[in-house]
Amino acid sequence: MELKATSIGKKLAQHPYHRVRMLTAGVEVTGDHHEYIIPFNQLLGVRCKRGVVWGELEFQLAEDKVVRLHGTEWSETQRFWQHLMKSWQSWTEQMVVISDQVLSDLQHFILDFVQKDGWLTQDALSDLQIHIEEAFSALPLPKERLREFPESYQRWQFCHLWLTAPEAQRQQRNHQWMAQLEKGYADFFATVERSPLNLSQRQAVMNDEKSVLVLAGAGCGKTAVLVAKTAWLLTRKQAQANQIVVLAFGHKAAEELSQRIALRVGTTDVTAKTFHSLALMIIQQATHKSPKITELESDKVKRYKLLLEQWIAQCSQKKAAANQWRQCLEDDVGWSLTQPQFWESPDIQEKIPLLLDKWLGLIRMHGGTQAQMIEQADEAERPLFTKRIKLMTPIVKAWKLALKEEGAIDFAGLLEQACGLVEKGRFISPWKYLLIDEFQDISPQRAKLVALLRQQNKHSRLYAVGDDWQAIYRFTGAQLDLTTKFAHYFGQVSLCQLDTTYRLDQRLNDVASGFVQQNAEQIQKTLVSHRQGNKKSITLLHENQLDALLDKLSGFVTRDETILVLGRYHYLKPKIFAKATTRWPNLSLAFMTMHASKGQEADYVIICGLNAGQEGFPAEDRETVIERGLLIEQESYPYAEERRLAYVAMTRAKQRTWLLFNPQNPSLFVAELKQLGVPIAKKA
């Protein structure tokens, strides 16, 4: 059946279409130069209108597109329209049944998918969305017509939400799943650690995204979450012990973590490793050889002796080298070298090994050739950096020669060799879960090993626990933005924030949090405490009151309570410690540098040296040309790392903190702390 415009109607209408013909499941609209086939599965509606003389058909398509036919005789137009509507309606009735079945099957698939006992990951959500889109593309009816059929439309809406608001749907589903698990595993969460886990800790433990970053402030139980996560994986049988690797920084931290895991999990099958012990294991398994770790790594005296002897030989044997070293130490480090043969000075011989050790460590960690180091240095400083790095060449050669003679490898070489073996596929990662403590301290070399292990095992999950507010080891090569820009380096991330501090009272927490978050580049967090505290929780005090303060503390501090005195450097340890054991014999009193205090806690904390100047705090920028060339670029915010170091120091106290300063020469931090409401006491 077809409908044509009359000859007059065709001439007067001047439209591109003047003829329509019925097809098996659609219509064909044509003109002298145009042809348009409209299948029923694209047709949204047909309007039949009567003009002054002729009839008009209007075919409605998706995206508000309309195809019109004008100039047809009205009675014929009506007859064609009625026939078309009958055919279209019959087709629609058949297609509704099919569409409803497709949507019903899809709805059941989604329900089954999201009701599985497990975390719904972002990757799984992407797979689900692909399935939904494929099902929608198989619908015989246009989605715009589904509104005409309430049951089908309701099913379509349910499914469509996973396309239009997928993350909201995923989060809602995961929260519902976690709420059910909390009830079923109430005993686990109440007993897995010394204290029952709070809501944010429980949710962090249950989170099973492919990449999870758990962030917290001081005293929020980060390590407790890591231990509980290990126990959770084993309890839920999400992984076997040999499929879990827990990583820590330093042997002591790894040992303490292993002990906690064994105590809480009830098995020694999962132990924490350092990155270096992990690298050693990879090398052993891949090569069936066990490389020897050089004694120089663990024997500081022997290491310093090697560096000092080589440096003295370099200066004493080559006048040009001596002159260059003099210029380097005076200009870059700020030392005053008055003696012609400065390398013979006992004071210099005491200090130079520490400096050489730091520079050598950065060169070893970089791992590249000298040319690569020079190329990566800032263009403006490249000429001077080239001179300084070449000055270190004999030291580096002496180190490599010592390793060769010992038949050993150093820590940087361990990581480099392990990365190479994983990259070449000579080691197959067995780990389903990589759990990392104190993630903010990770360096690019360690991060590379983690990334390679994950690439090697596509099913692996990364679970990182840390605190960007406590990132204080840039000088050893730690790279903060591996934490603050986690997703950039490790892919889509689920961020969990622990929101309760158990060490600090609310007053001290508010001051410390407000202070560290002056730097907008720090990840914003809100922490709460169950103890309110008061204005005396943290106090600014004149530094000449240290003796009086300890006298006062000796009057009420119990034998079980601890006092920690902190300074920026070892050599700033207060002289009163020489008489402390006799003057205050009942006080549990200890001194640490601020860096060493990280991870420690005490009942009372006294922070010394909040003064301006060369030995003050924040410390003036002392980075040398070599350090600037080998470390990542410094943050733009002034004293960013020193600010985090102050946060670490302030947050060691369970009861009270005193900040000692010279009122004649106060640190710039003192003014900021006063603005945050910290009171000043002239007397203890």
Side-chain angles (χ1 to χ4, degrees), residues 64-126:
D64 295 327
K65 191 172 182 179
V66 174
V67 176
R68 292 186 179 89
L69 180 72
H70 290 272
T72 55
E73 198 276 324
W74 171 239
S75 61
E76 290 184 6
T77 303
Q78 282 184 302
R79 192 161 44 251
F80 182 89
W81 177 76
Q82 288 168 356
H83 181 76
L84 170 60
M85 293 304 291
K86 185 178 179 181
S87 177
W88 187 42
Q89 185 62 36
S90 176
W91 176 88
T92 298
E93 288 171 358
Q94 298 174 45
M95 297 306 114
V96 167
V97 174
I98 297 172
S99 294
D100 197 56
Q101 187 62 53
V102 169
L103 292 170
S104 178
D105 290 346
L106 180 58
Q107 185 177 29
H108 283 104
F109 177 86
I110 294 172
L111 288 171
D112 289 342
F113 189 90
V114 301
Q115 287 172 1
K116 290 177 182 176
D117 182 17
W119 180 268
L120 180 57
T121 66
Q122 293 167 338
D123 283 354
L125 175 62
S126 297

Coordinates of all heavy atoms in Angstrom, one line a residue, residues 64-126:
D64 N 14.3 14.3 18.1 CA 13.4 15.3 17.6 C 13.4 15.5 16.1 O 13.0 16.5 15.6 CB 13.7 16.7 18.3 CG 13.4 16.6 19.8 OD1 12.5 15.9 20.2 OD2 14.1 17.3 20.5
K65 N 13.8 14.4 15.4 CA 13.9 14.5 14.0 C 12.5 14.1 13.4 O 11.8 13.3 13.9 CB 14.9 13.5 13.4 CG 15.2 13.7 12.0 CD 16.3 12.8 11.5 CE 16.7 13.0 10.1 NZ 17.8 12.2 9.6
V66 N 12.0 14.9 12.4 CA 10.7 14.7 11.8 C 10.8 14.6 10.3 O 11.6 15.3 9.7 CB 9.8 15.8 12.2 CG1 8.4 15.7 11.5 CG2 9.6 15.9 13.7
V67 N 10.1 13.6 9.7 CA 10.0 13.5 8.2 C 8.5 13.7 7.9 O 7.6 13.0 8.4 CB 10.5 12.1 7.7 CG1 10.2 11.9 6.2 CG2 11.9 11.9 8.1
R68 N 8.3 14.6 6.9 CA 6.9 15.0 6.6 C 6.6 14.7 5.2 O 7.4 14.8 4.3 CB 6.6 16.5 6.9 CG 6.7 16.9 8.4 CD 6.3 18.3 8.6 NE 6.3 18.7 10.0 CZ 7.4 19.2 10.6 NH1 8.5 19.3 9.9 NH2 7.3 19.5 11.9
L69 N 5.3 14.4 5.0 CA 4.7 14.2 3.6 C 3.5 15.1 3.5 O 2.6 15.0 4.2 CB 4.3 12.7 3.4 CG 3.7 12.3 2.1 CD1 4.8 12.3 1.0 CD2 3.1 10.9 2.2
H70 N 3.5 16.0 2.5 CA 2.5 17.0 2.3 C 1.8 16.7 1.0 O 2.3 16.0 0.1 CB 3.0 18.4 2.3 CG 3.5 18.9 3.6 ND1 2.7 19.5 4.5 CD2 4.7 18.8 4.2 CE1 3.4 19.8 5.6 NE2 4.7 19.4 5.4
G71 N 0.6 17.4 0.9 CA 0.0 17.4 -0.4 C -0.8 16.2 -0.9 O -1.0 16.0 -2.0
T72 N -1.2 15.3 0.1 CA -1.9 14.1 -0.2 C -3.4 14.4 0.0 O -3.8 15.2 0.8 CB -1.5 13.0 0.7 OG1 -1.6 13.4 2.1 CG2 0.0 12.6 0.4
E73 N -4.2 13.6 -0.8 CA -5.6 13.7 -0.7 C -6.1 13.2 0.7 O -5.6 12.2 1.2 CB -6.3 12.9 -1.8 CG -7.7 13.3 -2.1 CD -8.7 12.6 -1.2 OE1 -8.4 11.4 -0.8 OE2 -9.7 13.2 -0.7
W74 N -7.0 14.0 1.3 CA -7.2 13.8 2.8 C -7.8 12.4 3.1 O -7.3 11.7 4.0 CB -8.2 14.9 3.3 CG -8.7 14.6 4.7 CD1 -10.0 14.5 5.1 CD2 -7.9 14.4 5.9 NE1 -10.0 14.2 6.4 CE2 -8.7 14.2 6.9 CE3 -6.5 14.4 6.1 CZ2 -8.3 13.9 8.2 CZ3 -6.1 14.2 7.4 CH2 -6.9 14.0 8.4
S75 N -8.8 11.9 2.3 CA -9.4 10.6 2.6 C -8.4 9.5 2.4 O -8.3 8.5 3.2 CB -10.6 10.4 1.7 OG -10.2 10.4 0.4
E76 N -7.5 9.6 1.4 CA -6.5 8.6 1.2 C -5.5 8.7 2.3 O -4.9 7.6 2.7 CB -5.9 8.8 -0.2 CG -6.8 8.5 -1.4 CD -6.1 8.6 -2.7 OE1 -4.8 8.9 -2.7 OE2 -6.7 8.5 -3.7
T77 N -5.2 9.9 2.7 CA -4.2 10.0 3.8 C -4.7 9.3 5.1 O -4.0 8.6 5.7 CB -4.0 11.5 4.1 OG1 -3.6 12.2 3.0 CG2 -3.0 11.7 5.2
Q78 N -6.1 9.5 5.4 CA -6.6 8.8 6.5 C -6.6 7.3 6.4 O -6.2 6.6 7.4 CB -8.1 9.3 6.7 CG -8.3 10.6 7.3 CD -9.8 10.9 7.5 OE1 -10.5 10.9 6.6 NE2 -10.1 11.2 8.8
R79 N -6.9 6.8 5.2 CA -6.9 5.4 5.0 C -5.5 4.8 5.1 O -5.4 3.8 5.8 CB -7.5 5.1 3.6 CG -7.9 3.7 3.4 CD -8.8 3.5 2.2 NE -8.5 4.2 1.0 CZ -9.1 5.3 0.6 NH1 -10.3 5.7 1.2 NH2 -8.8 5.9 -0.6
F80 N -4.6 5.5 4.6 CA -3.2 5.0 4.7 C -2.7 5.0 6.1 O -2.1 4.0 6.6 CB -2.2 5.8 3.8 CG -0.8 5.4 3.8 CD1 -0.4 4.4 2.9 CD2 0.1 5.8 4.8 CE1 0.9 4.0 2.9 CE2 1.4 5.4 4.8 CZ 1.8 4.4 3.9
W81 N -3.0 6.1 6.8 CA -2.6 6.2 8.2 C -3.2 5.1 9.1 O -2.5 4.5 9.9 CB -3.0 7.6 8.7 CG -2.7 7.8 10.2 CD1 -1.5 8.1 10.7 CD2 -3.6 7.8 11.3 NE1 -1.6 8.2 12.1 CE2 -2.9 8.0 12.5 CE3 -5.0 7.6 11.3 CZ2 -3.5 8.1 13.7 CZ3 -5.6 7.6 12.6 CH2 -4.9 7.9 13.8
Q82 N -4.5 4.8 8.9 CA -5.2 3.8 9.7 C -4.5 2.4 9.4 O -4.3 1.6 10.3 CB -6.7 3.7 9.3 CG -7.4 4.9 9.9 CD -8.8 5.0 9.3 OE1 -9.2 4.2 8.4 NE2 -9.6 6.0 9.8
H83 N -4.2 2.1 8.2 CA -3.6 0.9 7.8 C -2.2 0.8 8.4 O -1.8 -0.3 9.0 CB -3.5 0.7 6.3 CG -2.9 -0.6 5.8 ND1 -3.5 -1.8 5.9 CD2 -1.6 -0.8 5.4 CE1 -2.7 -2.7 5.5 NE2 -1.6 -2.2 5.1
L84 N -1.5 1.9 8.3 CA -0.1 2.0 8.9 C -0.2 1.7 10.4 O 0.6 0.9 11.0 CB 0.5 3.3 8.6 CG 1.8 3.6 9.3 CD1 2.9 2.6 9.0 CD2 2.3 5.1 9.0
M85 N -1.1 2.4 11.1 CA -1.2 2.3 12.5 C -1.5 0.9 13.0 O -1.0 0.4 14.0 CB -2.2 3.3 13.1 CG -1.8 4.7 12.9 SD -0.2 5.1 13.7 CE -0.6 4.9 15.4
K86 N -2.4 0.2 12.2 CA -2.8 -1.2 12.5 C -1.5 -2.1 12.4 O -1.3 -3.0 13.3 CB -3.9 -1.6 11.6 CG -4.4 -3.0 11.9 CD -5.6 -3.4 11.0 CE -6.1 -4.8 11.3 NZ -7.2 -5.2 10.4
S87 N -0.8 -1.9 11.3 CA 0.4 -2.7 11.1 C 1.5 -2.4 12.2 O 2.1 -3.4 12.7 CB 1.0 -2.5 9.7 OG 2.2 -3.2 9.5
W88 N 1.6 -1.2 12.5 CA 2.7 -0.7 13.5 C 2.3 -1.3 14.9 O 3.2 -1.7 15.6 CB 2.8 0.8 13.4 CG 3.9 1.3 14.3 CD1 5.2 0.9 14.4 CD2 3.8 2.5 15.1 NE1 5.9 1.6 15.2 CE2 5.1 2.7 15.7 CE3 2.8 3.4 15.4 CZ2 5.4 3.7 16.6 CZ3 3.1 4.5 16.3 CH2 4.4 4.6 16.8
Q89 N 1.0 -1.2 15.2 CA 0.5 -1.7 16.5 C 0.7 -3.2 16.6 O 1.2 -3.6 17.7 CB -1.0 -1.3 16.7 CG -1.5 -1.6 18.0 CD -0.8 -0.9 19.1 OE1 -0.5 0.3 19.0 NE2 -0.6 -1.5 20.3
S90 N 0.4 -3.9 15.6 CA 0.6 -5.4 15.6 C 2.1 -5.7 15.8 O 2.5 -6.6 16.6 CB 0.1 -6.0 14.3 OG 0.4 -7.3 14.3
W91 N 3.0 -5.0 15.1 CA 4.4 -5.2 15.3 C 4.9 -4.8 16.7 O 5.7 -5.6 17.3 CB 5.2 -4.3 14.3 CG 6.7 -4.4 14.4 CD1 7.5 -5.2 13.8 CD2 7.5 -3.5 15.2 NE1 8.8 -5.0 14.2 CE2 8.8 -3.9 15.0 CE3 7.2 -2.4 16.0 CZ2 9.9 -3.2 15.7 CZ3 8.3 -1.7 16.7 CH2 9.6 -2.2 16.5
T92 N 4.3 -3.7 17.2 CA 4.7 -3.3 18.6 C 4.3 -4.3 19.6 O 5.1 -4.6 20.5 CB 4.0 -1.9 18.9 OG1 4.4 -0.9 17.9 CG2 4.2 -1.5 20.3
E93 N 3.1 -4.9 19.5 CA 2.7 -5.9 20.5 C 3.7 -7.1 20.5 O 4.0 -7.6 21.6 CB 1.3 -6.4 20.1 CG 0.2 -5.3 20.4 CD -1.2 -5.8 19.8 OE1 -1.3 -6.9 19.2 OE2 -2.1 -5.0 20.0
Q94 N 4.2 -7.5 19.4 CA 5.1 -8.6 19.4 C 6.5 -8.1 20.0 O 7.1 -8.9 20.8 CB 5.4 -9.0 17.9 CG 4.2 -9.6 17.2 CD 4.5 -9.9 15.8 OE1 5.5 -10.5 15.4 NE2 3.6 -9.5 14.9
M95 N 6.8 -6.9 19.7 CA 8.1 -6.4 20.2 C 8.1 -6.1 21.7 O 9.2 -6.2 22.3 CB 8.6 -5.1 19.4 CG 8.8 -5.4 17.9 SD 9.9 -6.7 17.6 CE 8.8 -7.9 16.8
V96 N 7.0 -5.7 22.2 CA 6.9 -5.4 23.6 C 7.2 -6.7 24.4 O 7.9 -6.7 25.4 CB 5.5 -4.9 24.0 CG1 5.3 -4.9 25.5 CG2 5.3 -3.5 23.5
V97 N 6.7 -7.8 23.9 CA 6.9 -9.1 24.6 C 8.4 -9.4 24.6 O 9.0 -9.8 25.7 CB 6.1 -10.2 23.9 CG1 6.5 -11.6 24.5 CG2 4.6 -10.0 24.0
I98 N 9.0 -9.2 23.5 CA 10.5 -9.5 23.4 C 11.3 -8.5 24.3 O 12.2 -8.9 25.0 CB 11.0 -9.4 21.9 CG1 10.3 -10.5 21.1 CG2 12.5 -9.5 21.8 CD1 10.5 -10.4 19.6
S99 N 10.9 -7.2 24.2 CA 11.6 -6.2 25.0 C 11.5 -6.5 26.4 O 12.5 -6.4 27.2 CB 11.1 -4.8 24.6 OG 11.4 -4.4 23.3
D100 N 10.3 -6.8 26.9 CA 10.1 -7.1 28.3 C 10.9 -8.3 28.7 O 11.4 -8.3 29.9 CB 8.6 -7.3 28.5 CG 8.2 -7.2 30.0 OD1 8.5 -6.1 30.6 OD2 7.7 -8.2 30.6
Q101 N 11.0 -9.3 27.9 CA 11.9 -10.4 28.2 C 13.3 -10.1 28.3 O 14.0 -10.5 29.3 CB 11.7 -11.5 27.2 CG 12.4 -12.9 27.6 CD 11.8 -13.4 28.9 OE1 10.6 -13.6 29.0 NE2 12.7 -13.7 29.8
V102 N 13.8 -9.2 27.4 CA 15.2 -8.8 27.4 C 15.5 -8.0 28.7 O 16.5 -8.2 29.4 CB 15.5 -7.9 26.2 CG1 16.9 -7.2 26.4 CG2 15.5 -8.8 24.9
L103 N 14.5 -7.1 29.1 CA 14.7 -6.2 30.2 C 14.6 -7.0 31.5 O 15.3 -6.8 32.5 CB 13.7 -5.1 30.2 CG 14.0 -4.0 29.1 CD1 12.8 -3.1 29.0 CD2 15.3 -3.3 29.4
S104 N 13.7 -8.0 31.5 CA 13.5 -8.8 32.7 C 14.7 -9.7 32.9 O 15.2 -9.8 34.1 CB 12.3 -9.8 32.5 OG 12.1 -10.6 33.6
D105 N 15.3 -10.2 31.9 CA 16.5 -11.0 32.0 C 17.7 -10.1 32.5 O 18.5 -10.5 33.3 CB 16.9 -11.7 30.7 CG 15.9 -12.8 30.2 OD1 15.2 -13.2 31.1 OD2 16.0 -13.2 29.1
L106 N 17.7 -8.9 31.9 CA 18.8 -8.0 32.3 C 18.7 -7.6 33.8 O 19.7 -7.5 34.5 CB 18.8 -6.8 31.4 CG 19.8 -5.7 31.7 CD1 21.2 -6.3 31.6 CD2 19.6 -4.5 30.7
Q107 N 17.4 -7.3 34.2 CA 17.2 -6.9 35.6 C 17.7 -8.1 36.5 O 18.3 -7.8 37.6 CB 15.7 -6.6 35.8 CG 15.4 -6.1 37.2 CD 14.0 -5.7 37.4 OE1 13.1 -6.3 36.7 NE2 13.7 -4.7 38.2
H108 N 17.3 -9.3 36.2 CA 17.7 -10.4 37.0 C 19.2 -10.6 37.0 O 19.8 -10.9 38.1 CB 17.0 -11.7 36.6 CG 15.6 -11.8 37.0 ND1 14.5 -11.6 36.1 CD2 15.0 -12.1 38.2 CE1 13.4 -11.7 36.8 NE2 13.7 -12.0 38.1
F109 N 19.8 -10.4 35.9 CA 21.3 -10.5 35.8 C 22.0 -9.4 36.7 O 22.9 -9.8 37.4 CB 21.7 -10.2 34.3 CG 23.2 -10.3 34.2 CD1 23.9 -11.4 34.0 CD2 24.0 -9.1 34.2 CE1 25.3 -11.5 33.8 CE2 25.4 -9.1 34.1 CZ 26.0 -10.3 33.9
I110 N 21.5 -8.2 36.7 CA 22.0 -7.1 37.5 C 21.8 -7.5 39.0 O 22.8 -7.4 39.8 CB 21.4 -5.8 37.2 CG1 21.8 -5.3 35.8 CG2 21.8 -4.7 38.2 CD1 21.0 -4.1 35.3
L111 N 20.7 -7.9 39.4 CA 20.4 -8.3 40.8 C 21.3 -9.4 41.2 O 21.9 -9.4 42.3 CB 18.9 -8.7 40.9 CG 17.9 -7.5 40.9 CD1 16.5 -8.1 40.8 CD2 18.1 -6.6 42.0
D112 N 21.5 -10.4 40.4 CA 22.4 -11.5 40.7 C 23.8 -11.0 40.8 O 24.6 -11.4 41.7 CB 22.3 -12.6 39.7 CG 21.0 -13.4 39.7 OD1 20.3 -13.3 40.8 OD2 20.7 -14.1 38.7
F113 N 24.2 -10.1 39.9 CA 25.5 -9.6 39.9 C 25.9 -8.8 41.2 O 26.9 -9.0 41.8 CB 25.7 -8.7 38.7 CG 27.1 -8.3 38.4 CD1 27.9 -9.0 37.5 CD2 27.6 -7.1 38.9 CE1 29.2 -8.7 37.3 CE2 28.9 -6.7 38.6 CZ 29.7 -7.5 37.8
V114 N 25.0 -7.9 41.6 CA 25.3 -7.1 42.7 C 25.0 -7.7 44.0 O 25.4 -7.2 45.1 CB 24.5 -5.7 42.6 CG1 24.8 -5.0 41.3 CG2 23.0 -5.9 42.7
Q115 N 24.3 -8.8 44.0 CA 24.0 -9.5 45.3 C 25.1 -10.6 45.6 O 24.9 -11.3 46.6 CB 22.6 -10.1 45.2 CG 21.5 -9.1 45.3 CD 20.1 -9.7 45.1 OE1 20.0 -10.9 44.9 NE2 19.1 -8.8 45.1
K116 N 26.1 -10.7 44.8 CA 27.2 -11.6 45.1 C 27.9 -11.1 46.4 O 28.0 -10.0 46.7 CB 28.2 -11.7 44.0 CG 27.6 -12.4 42.7 CD 28.7 -12.3 41.6 CE 28.1 -13.0 40.3 NZ 29.1 -12.9 39.2
D117 N 28.4 -12.1 47.1 CA 29.1 -11.8 48.4 C 30.5 -11.3 48.1 O 31.4 -12.1 48.0 CB 29.1 -13.0 49.3 CG 29.8 -12.7 50.6 OD1 29.9 -11.5 51.0 OD2 30.2 -13.7 51.3
G118 N 30.6 -10.0 47.9 CA 32.0 -9.5 47.6 C 31.8 -8.0 47.3 O 30.8 -7.5 47.0
W119 N 33.0 -7.3 47.3 CA 33.0 -5.9 47.0 C 32.8 -5.7 45.5 O 33.4 -6.4 44.7 CB 34.4 -5.4 47.4 CG 34.6 -3.9 47.2 CD1 35.1 -3.4 46.1 CD2 34.3 -2.8 48.0 NE1 35.2 -2.0 46.2 CE2 34.6 -1.6 47.4 CE3 33.7 -2.8 49.3 CZ2 34.5 -0.4 48.0 CZ3 33.5 -1.5 49.9 CH2 33.9 -0.4 49.2
L120 N 32.0 -4.8 45.2 CA 31.8 -4.5 43.8 C 32.8 -3.4 43.3 O 32.8 -2.3 43.7 CB 30.3 -3.9 43.5 CG 30.0 -3.5 42.1 CD1 30.2 -4.7 41.2 CD2 28.6 -3.0 42.0
T121 N 33.8 -3.9 42.6 CA 34.9 -3.0 42.2 C 34.5 -2.1 41.0 O 33.5 -2.4 40.3 CB 36.1 -3.9 41.8 OG1 35.8 -4.6 40.6 CG2 36.5 -4.8 42.9
Q122 N 35.3 -1.1 40.8 CA 35.1 -0.2 39.6 C 35.3 -1.0 38.3 O 34.6 -0.7 37.3 CB 36.1 0.9 39.7 CG 35.9 1.8 40.9 CD 37.0 2.8 41.2 OE1 38.2 2.5 40.8 NE2 36.7 3.9 41.9
D123 N 36.2 -1.9 38.3 CA 36.4 -2.8 37.1 C 35.2 -3.6 36.8 O 34.7 -3.7 35.6 CB 37.6 -3.7 37.2 CG 38.9 -2.9 37.0 OD1 38.9 -1.7 36.6 OD2 40.0 -3.5 37.2
A124 N 34.6 -4.2 37.9 CA 33.4 -5.0 37.7 C 32.3 -4.2 37.3 O 31.4 -4.6 36.4 CB 33.1 -5.8 39.0
L125 N 32.2 -3.0 37.8 CA 31.1 -2.0 37.4 C 31.2 -1.7 35.9 O 30.2 -1.7 35.2 CB 31.2 -0.8 38.2 CG 30.2 0.4 37.8 CD1 28.8 -0.1 38.0 CD2 30.5 1.6 38.6
S126 N 32.4 -1.5 35.4 CA 32.6 -1.3 33.9 C 32.2 -2.4 33.1 O 31.5 -2.3 32.1 CB 34.1 -1.0 33.7 OG 34.5 0.2 34.3

